[in-house]
Amino acid sequence: MTADAPLTQTDIAAIAARLDRPIVLVGLMGAGKSTVGRRLANMLGRQFVDADDAIEVAAQRSIPEIFDEFGEDYFRDGERRVIARLIEEERGVIATGGGAFVDAQTRALILERALAVWIDCDIDTLVERTARRNTRPLLRGGDPKAILTGLLERRQPFYEQAQLRVRGENNPHTDTALAIIKAIDEWL
Ligand code: S3P
């Protein structure tokens, strides 16, 4: 297959069959991890799981409630345990919350047992997308653009450790999912 040739269903099925580990999407809030992850899983015929949803189910509370009642450290402990369990259980696609890959233990586990894909995205797109919902505790305390810029500065050295990196500004998100499949094909 040449680099620019469009992927056929047969190509995608062949790539899916060769990949023997979960795909874990990492990157900042608003990068599109959940939407892209769902499309990617669908295209590859794999299960999709959103780690933030799994944390909410385990805690029987929403993420803002967890932050409000117990604080961020408690959320991070739960996040570490839930992602470890998902990697153990799933051979699918896992979307993680933006801070998950910053945790040394989680990052080491993902890099060893899964394939990390960083969905890198410009700040203006992240600001626009995250403004659509008010469900992110870390964005409540100030100017979202300044907060996201600071988070990117601190987290970029960790995100850069992902085995693969794609751009996330694409619309539709299906294009990002296809870019991930191409990147996986090259990586395999
Ligand atoms: C967080 C990102 C959120 C969620 C929590 C903390 C972060 O997930 O896990 O609010 O630290 O960046 P998304 O990246 O899916 O918004």
Side-chain angles (χ1 to χ4, degrees):
M1 184 183 342
T2 62
D4 291 331
L7 289 171
T8 65
Q9 275 304 107
T10 316
D11 296 331
I12 294 174
I15 295 164
R18 281 157 66 211
L19 184 67
D20 63 352
R21 46 174 74 200
I23 299 165
V24 177
L25 304 181
V26 306
L28 280 183
M29 300 174 256
K33 298 172 302 258
S34 304
T35 313
V36 170
R38 214 165 266 118
R39 306 243 164 110
L40 180 65
N42 202 271
M43 288 160 123
L44 294 172
R46 286 177 158 221
Q47 279 183 4
F48 171 73
V49 57
D50 187 307
D52 281 343
D53 291 348
I55 294 164
E56 291 186 328
V57 170
Q60 303 206 345
R61 282 169 176 78
S62 68
I63 288 178
E65 284 167 354
I66 301 172
F67 271 73
D68 288 347
E69 280 184 50
F70 306 111
E72 181 170 350
D73 288 351
Y74 180 93
F75 170 77
R76 297 295 172 200
D77 285 345
E79 180 174 54
R80 190 180 307 113
R81 282 196 303 275
V82 164
I83 292 176
R85 169 168 62 77
L86 296 177
I87 290 187
E88 193 64 42
E89 287 172 4
E90 301 280 338
R91 290 189 163 257
V93 177
I94 303 168
T96 60
F101 203 60
V102 173
D103 180 86
Q105 215 174 306
T106 300
R107 190 170 62 255
L109 182 70
I110 293 172
L111 291 173
E112 191 195 322
R113 304 271 304 277
L115 175 61
V117 181
W118 174 23
I119 306 185
D120 185 14
C121 194
D122 68 60
I123 295 286
D124 286 337
T125 304
L126 298 176
V127 171
E128 188 204 308
R129 290 194 190 141
T130 52
R132 293 177 200 156
R133 279 188 302 140
N134 181 27
T135 53
R136 292 174 167 108
L138 295 185
L139 296 182
R140 284 180 184 161
D143 169 46
K145 185 166 185 169
I147 295 172
L148 285 162
T149 305
L151 284 173
L152 182 60
E153 232 173 76
R154 289 199 295 283
R155 292 178 174 178
Q156 172 138 349
F158 304 110
Y159 293 151
E160 278 174 346
Q161 296 175 41
Q163 288 100 332
L164 302 177
R165 172 180 182 170
V166 296
R167 298 297 316 175
E169 291 87 6
N170 289 316
N171 207 355
H173 283 306
T174 309
D175 290 348
T176 307
L178 276 170
I180 293 174
I181 295 174
K182 286 198 171 185
I184 292 172
D185 185 34
E186 281 158 27
W187 178 82
L188 278 167

